[in-house]
């Protein structure tokens, strides 16, 4: 892999105490429960985060006032192994409407035992966001990015 491609990719993983089916279900059906509430492009509090479980579906936030913000498109949906999505948020943390300027994130679920699953996120093509993409990469890679999501996601299984 060339250096630019590698630099424009963030990889994170976590192992959860759940079957691969449970891990996939929680990630897709309960995404809003582990997404940090301050990660919100709406001007009002998020009432719910919806993950439409199909290719062509969206992840979107519905605000307390009924407004919606569609910030990811479902590009691949292969339960319980994989989901791939667009990241339709630009370097200024605003919606990006040009698909050529969006990155993508793939989540893979691999059974380690019948009751343990490795969940890997690869967020790639961050350079498609254009000028400032390195700062976006650093943010996504930092403590408040994918590590925060995965820690909150793993904590769900500790409470069950």
């Amino acid at each position: 892999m060339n250096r630019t491609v590698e630099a424009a990719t963030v990889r994170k993983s976590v192992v959860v105490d759940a079957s691969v089916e449970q891990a996939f279900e929680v990630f897709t059906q309960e995404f809003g429960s582990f997404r940090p509430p301050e990660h919100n492009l709406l001007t009002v509090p998020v009432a719910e985060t919806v993950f439409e479980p199909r290719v062509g579906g969206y992840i979107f936030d519905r605000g307390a006032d009924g407004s919606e913000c569609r910030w990811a498109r479902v590009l691949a949906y292969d339960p319980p192994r994989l989901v791939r999505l667009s990241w339709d948020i630009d370097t200024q943390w605003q919606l990006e409407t040009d698909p050529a300027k969006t990155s993508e994130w793939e989540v893979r679920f691999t059974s380690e035992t019948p009751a343990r699953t490795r969940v890997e996120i690869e967020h790639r093509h961050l350079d498609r966001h254009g000028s400032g993409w390195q700062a976006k990469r650093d943010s996504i890679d930092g403590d408040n990015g994918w590590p925060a999501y995965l820690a909150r996601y793993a904590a769900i299984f500790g409470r069950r």
Side-chain angles (χ1 to χ4, degrees):
M1 191 175 285
N2 75 42
R3 290 169 48 118
T4 301
V5 170
E6 190 63 31
T9 303
V10 170
R11 291 180 185 87
K12 298 295 177 193
S13 67
V14 68
V15 175
V16 295
D17 292 325
S19 70
V20 70
E21 294 84 5
Q22 291 169 317
F24 186 91
E25 181 179 303
V26 168
F27 196 93
T28 56
Q29 293 182 15
E30 299 180 35
F31 188 82
S33 70
F34 60 88
R35 181 169 158 237
E38 65 275 13
H39 291 193
N40 172 11
L41 299 180
L42 293 170
T43 58
V44 298
V46 174
E48 68 176 329
T49 297
V50 178
F51 188 119
E52 296 177 323
R54 67 183 184 284
V55 171
Y58 292 89
I59 295 181
F60 64 92
D61 296 326
R62 183 172 292 125
D65 64 356
S67 60
E68 292 184 355
C69 177
R70 293 180 177 204
W71 57 271
R73 293 167 284 121
V74 181
L75 305 173
Y77 189 78
D78 185 17
R81 293 182 295 276
L82 174 137
V83 63
R84 186 177 327 113
L85 304 113
S86 65
W87 183 270
D88 300 347
I89 305 169
D90 70 16
T91 58
Q92 302 303 309
W93 300 100
Q94 301 295 316
L95 284 180
E96 176 58 69
T97 58
D98 181 352
K101 295 180 180 178
T102 64
S103 55
E104 64 181 43
W105 46 296
E106 182 170 284
V107 188
R108 291 180 299 277
F109 301 82
T110 306
S111 179
E112 293 194 340
T113 71
R116 285 179 59 88
T117 301
R118 175 169 298 281
V119 180
E120 300 170 291
I121 294 179
E122 181 177 288
H123 194 146
R124 55 186 174 241
H125 308 302
L126 286 156
D127 55 328
R128 290 181 185 166
H129 292 285
S131 180
W133 71 265
Q134 295 93 338
K136 179 180 265 304
R137 177 209 49 217
D138 294 347
S139 178
I140 289 168
D141 196 26
D143 290 343
N144 291 321
W146 286 125
Y149 282 71
L150 290 176
R152 292 169 60 104
Y153 168 73
I156 290 171
F157 297 98
R159 294 191 298 264
R160 292 188 176 179

